[in-house]
């Protein structure tokens, strides 16, 4: 019992580590996306402030140094935007710095909005400054925060805006002469209208509306950013799954599996064609090569054979050093599986012939392979443990196909197939039947580790 509990604990621990690893990879993917988003946001912010700068230059009534003061306020925010762009592009701490920039932006805008132009000849009552339209510029910061894939930054920006605007309210309420509806002895409609005509009256209803709308917009943007992040995470998982499938299946099968809700890993019995391929004399051929040369050779070799598998609708089960195992009819069987397997074998031999011509011209040894194909029932599904799972097939058909590949040495040929494969090729399959005509019966042969003989066909015929 204790051993069982320990095993379950180990499985849960492995699953947790795998989940943590996937989460870290997603965070790393979003880190780069967020960095580019912050750079784009800084560009958009600078462009928007340029438009505001033009508007201020046209709308202001100030002249001379007073005009320059008004324009410089916008220029300061534009320079902060450029600084944010540079930090997002070059600094590894841009994510943390962005929270500080948001706080600085909101505090600076609140300060500028609370202080009158010292070079103007007209003194405006504090209430007019409080009730002015500069609050709308806070939404530029919200827009910038939304460009990041981080809902927490949007929420932080909304909180900073609320704090900054509330600080402005407290500041103006402490200025001499200002009053609110709370200071009125009578709060009739007539008294309120009379107070609203006073430039020192601060209408708290405006502040409440501003804070309420700001909170709603912030919450909505944060939810939108969170949903966008979730969609991107889902797309990343989908693309990763497609990439994993593409390692084994042909592109058309990948598309079909990606759009299907069927569980590929569930074990099921089906009839498929199983192929084994191996290089004859690989050890002797590469015994003088360096490890790097061997790896480069195998990559070129696997690339040619894997291409033939995928072009014929096969599944690349696994690479086996200098060989490979492929199946035809997984995960979904068809009436052409046997013919596709045979066509794949001849495509491999043709591809190796072309490669050998290149190698001969380069003074390199020729590559000779042995191919064995058998058709019959297998059990397909995910095989392995929680740390490593792979889609594969098992059964006697796999063992027979492996033995047929080894039989190519005995029969001194390149391809050996079982009669079961030949019989599985549909009579209406003209292409498959023409390939069968290229084979020659090789009689019944003994297979190592298997009772009884099996009827086989070989290519090239002796």
């Amino acid at each position: 019992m204790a051993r069982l509990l320990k095993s379950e604990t180990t499985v849960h621990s492995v699953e947790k580590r795998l989940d943590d690893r996937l989460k870290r990879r997603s965070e790393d993917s979003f880190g780069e996306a967020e960095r580019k988003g912050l750079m784009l946001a800084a560009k958009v912010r600078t462009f928007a402030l340029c438009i505001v700068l033009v508007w201020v230059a046209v709308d202001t009534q100030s002249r001379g140094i007073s005009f320059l003061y008004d324009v410089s306020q916008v220029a300061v925010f534009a320079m902060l935007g450029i600084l944010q762009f540079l930090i997002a592009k070059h600094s590894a701490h841009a994510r943390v710095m962005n929270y500080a920039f948001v706080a600085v932006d909101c505090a600076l805008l609140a300060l500028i909005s609370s202080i009158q132009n010292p070079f103007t000849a007209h003194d405006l009552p504090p209430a007019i400054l409080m009730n002015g339209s500069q609050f709308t510029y806070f939404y530029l910061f919200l827009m910038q925060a939304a460009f990041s894939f981080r809902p927490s930054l949007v929420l932080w920006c909304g909180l900073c805006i609320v704090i900054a605007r509330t600080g402005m309210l407290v500041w103006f309420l402490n200025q001499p002469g200002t009053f609110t509806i709370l200071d009125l002895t009578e709060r009739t409609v007539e008294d309120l209208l009379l107070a609203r005509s006073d430039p020192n009256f601060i209408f708290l209803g405006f502040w409440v509306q501003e804070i309420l709308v700001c909170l709603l917009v912030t919450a909505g943007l944060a939810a939108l950013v969170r949903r966008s992040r979730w969609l991107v995470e889902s797309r990343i998982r989908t693309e990763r799954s497609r990439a994993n499938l593409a390692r084994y299946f042909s592109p058309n099968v990948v598309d079909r599996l990606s759009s299907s809700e069927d569980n590929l890993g569930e074990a099921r019995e089906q009839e498929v064609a199983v192929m084994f391929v191996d290089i004859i004399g690989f050890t002797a051929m590469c015994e003088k090569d360096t490890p790097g040369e061997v790896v480069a050779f195998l990559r070129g070799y696997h690339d040619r054979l894997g291409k033939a598998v995928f072009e014929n609708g096969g599944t690349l089960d696994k690479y086996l050093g200098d060989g490979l195992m492929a199946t035809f009819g997984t995960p979904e069987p068809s009436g052409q599986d046997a013919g596709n397997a045979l066509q794949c074998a001849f495509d491999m031999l043709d591809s190796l012939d072309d490669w050998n011509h290149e190698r001969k011209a380069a003074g390199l040894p020729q590559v000779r392979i042995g191919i064995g194909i058998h058709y019959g029932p297998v059990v397909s599904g995910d095989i392995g443990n929680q740390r490593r799972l792979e889609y594969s097939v098992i059964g006697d058909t796999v063992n027979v196909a492996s033995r047929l590949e080894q039989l190519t040495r005995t029969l001194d040929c390149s391809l050996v197939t079982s009669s079961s494969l030949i019989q599985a090729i549909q009579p209406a399959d003209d292409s498959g039947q023409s390939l069968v005509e290229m084979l020659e019966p090789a009689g019944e042969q003994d297979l190592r580790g298997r009772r009884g003989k099996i009827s086989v066909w070989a290519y090239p015929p002796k």
Side-chain angles (χ1 to χ4, degrees):
M1 184 65 180
R3 185 176 301 175
L4 178 60
L5 292 175
K6 182 178 179 181
S7 176
E8 292 179 350
T9 303
T10 301
V11 170
H12 290 313
S13 177
V14 170
E15 290 178 345
K16 185 178 185 302
R17 287 199 297 269
L18 291 175
D19 291 340
D20 292 341
R21 187 180 304 171
L22 178 60
K23 184 177 181 181
R24 285 196 301 270
R25 288 179 179 176
S26 297
E27 288 294 329
D28 291 340
S29 300
F30 273 108
E32 179 63 17
E34 182 180 0
R35 186 182 69 85
K36 293 181 179 179
L38 292 175
M39 292 169 58
L40 178 60
K43 291 180 181 179
V44 173
R45 165 202 174 113
T46 304
F47 177 75
L49 288 173
C50 289
I51 297 176
V52 173
L53 184 62
V54 173
W55 170 250
V56 170
V58 173
D59 182 63
T60 184
Q61 302 298 318
S62 303
R63 295 294 182 269
I65 191 171
S66 178
F67 171 79
L68 293 178
Y69 178 84
D70 290 339
V71 171
S72 65
Q73 293 178 350
V74 182
V76 168
F77 287 103
M79 288 188 290
L80 281 175
I82 295 174
L83 180 60
Q84 292 178 36
F85 173 83
L86 295 176
I87 290 179
K89 184 176 182 179
H90 301 290
S91 176
H93 305 288
R95 183 181 303 177
V96 177
M97 290 292 294
N98 221 52
Y99 288 88
F101 274 122
V102 167
V104 170
D105 281 335
C106 293
L108 186 59
L109 181 56
L111 179 63
I112 291 175
S113 302
S114 302
I115 300 176
Q116 295 192 58
N117 187 334
F119 304 104
T120 185
H122 305 286
D123 291 332
L124 296 176
I128 292 181
L129 295 177
M130 178 64 188
N131 298 332
S133 60
Q134 286 190 325
F135 173 77
T136 55
Y137 292 133
F138 279 108
Y139 288 106
L140 288 177
F141 305 145
L142 266 180
M143 174 198 70
Q144 183 180 1
F147 272 86
S148 71
F149 280 99
R150 199 158 291 277
S152 59
L153 184 62
V154 177
L155 294 174
W156 170 249
C157 184
L159 177 62
C160 289
I161 293 174
V162 170
I163 294 175
R165 191 58 172 170
T166 303
M168 291 176 61
L169 176 65
V170 174
W171 165 260
F172 287 123
L173 288 179
N174 284 278
Q175 300 304 304
T178 58
F179 65 101
T180 67
I181 191 174
L182 301 178
D183 298 316
L184 299 178
T185 55
E186 298 290 338
R187 299 176 185 174
T188 62
V189 175
E190 291 77 9
D191 292 331
L192 181 59
L193 291 175
L194 181 62
R196 291 286 299 275
S197 63
D198 191 322
N200 289 311
F201 178 75
I202 296 179
F203 184 50
L204 296 179
F206 288 161
W207 171 79
V208 173
Q209 290 178 11
E210 290 170 349
I211 298 302
L212 180 61
V213 171
C214 178
L215 292 175
L216 291 175
V217 172
T218 299
L221 281 177
L224 179 62
V225 171
R226 180 67 191 92
R227 174 167 174 76
S228 299
R229 187 183 181 95
W230 178 84
L231 290 174
V232 174
E233 287 176 343
S234 177
R235 182 62 181 269
I236 290 175
R237 287 193 295 268
T238 300
E239 290 302 319
R240 184 178 292 118
S241 298
R242 285 180 60 88
N244 289 333
L245 290 173
R247 295 169 56 194
Y248 305 103
F249 303 115
S250 57
N252 59 323
V253 176
V254 172
D255 292 336
R256 197 158 59 244
L257 291 175
S258 299
S259 60
S260 173
E261 296 182 357
D262 294 338
N263 187 355
L264 180 64
E266 289 185 353
R268 56 178 174 174
E269 184 175 347
Q270 59 189 115
E271 290 198 343
V272 302
V274 180
M275 170 190 290
F276 277 85
V277 185
D278 194 41
I279 296 179
I280 299 175
F282 172 75
T283 302
M285 185 176 64
C286 297
E287 62 182 355
K288 295 182 180 180
D289 294 339
T290 65
E293 291 173 338
V294 173
V295 170
F297 165 76
L298 288 177
R299 284 177 178 171
Y301 165 72
H302 288 152
D303 180 65
R304 287 167 172 79
L305 268 59
K307 181 179 179 182
V309 172
F310 291 147
E311 286 180 347
N312 289 281
T315 297
L316 184 55
D317 190 285
K318 59 176 68 70
Y319 286 116
L320 304 167
D322 60 317
L324 64 78
M325 171 184 170
T327 59
F328 297 81
T330 56
E332 297 178 359
S334 70
Q336 290 78 40
D337 296 330
N340 289 341
L342 193 55
Q343 180 65 62
C344 176
F346 280 102
D347 288 348
M348 286 180 175
L349 294 175
D350 290 341
S351 179
L352 262 293
D353 283 342
D354 294 338
W355 195 28
N356 279 328
H357 286 307
E358 298 175 8
R359 291 177 61 83
K360 184 177 181 180
L364 297 174
Q366 303 294 283
V367 180
R368 185 185 173 198
I369 61 174
I371 305 174
I373 314 175
H374 183 46
Y375 186 89
V378 298
V379 176
S380 64
D382 284 342
I383 298 175
N385 56 26
Q386 292 296 329
R387 290 185 65 88
R388 177 175 173 81
L389 288 173
E390 64 176 19
Y391 179 83
S392 186
V393 298
I394 57 175
D396 182 63
T397 300
V398 178
N399 299 329
V400 171
S402 177
R403 298 292 184 264
L404 291 177
E405 183 276 318
Q406 297 173 6
L407 192 60
T408 58
R409 278 77 164 171
T410 304
L411 298 179
D412 191 24
C413 61
S414 299
L415 168 63
V416 174
T417 72
S418 65
S419 294
S420 298
L421 179 85
I422 304 302
Q423 295 169 4
I425 297 178
Q426 301 293 333
D429 186 356
D430 295 335
S431 176
Q433 293 297 332
S434 64
L435 294 175
V436 172
E437 294 176 359
M438 299 173 65
L439 303 175
E440 182 178 90
E444 294 191 348
Q445 302 289 333
D446 289 314
L447 300 182
R448 182 171 58 86
R450 180 182 173 84
R451 295 179 180 177
K453 295 186 177 183
I454 182 172
S455 178
V456 301
W457 296 59
Y459 174 87
K462 293 184 178 180

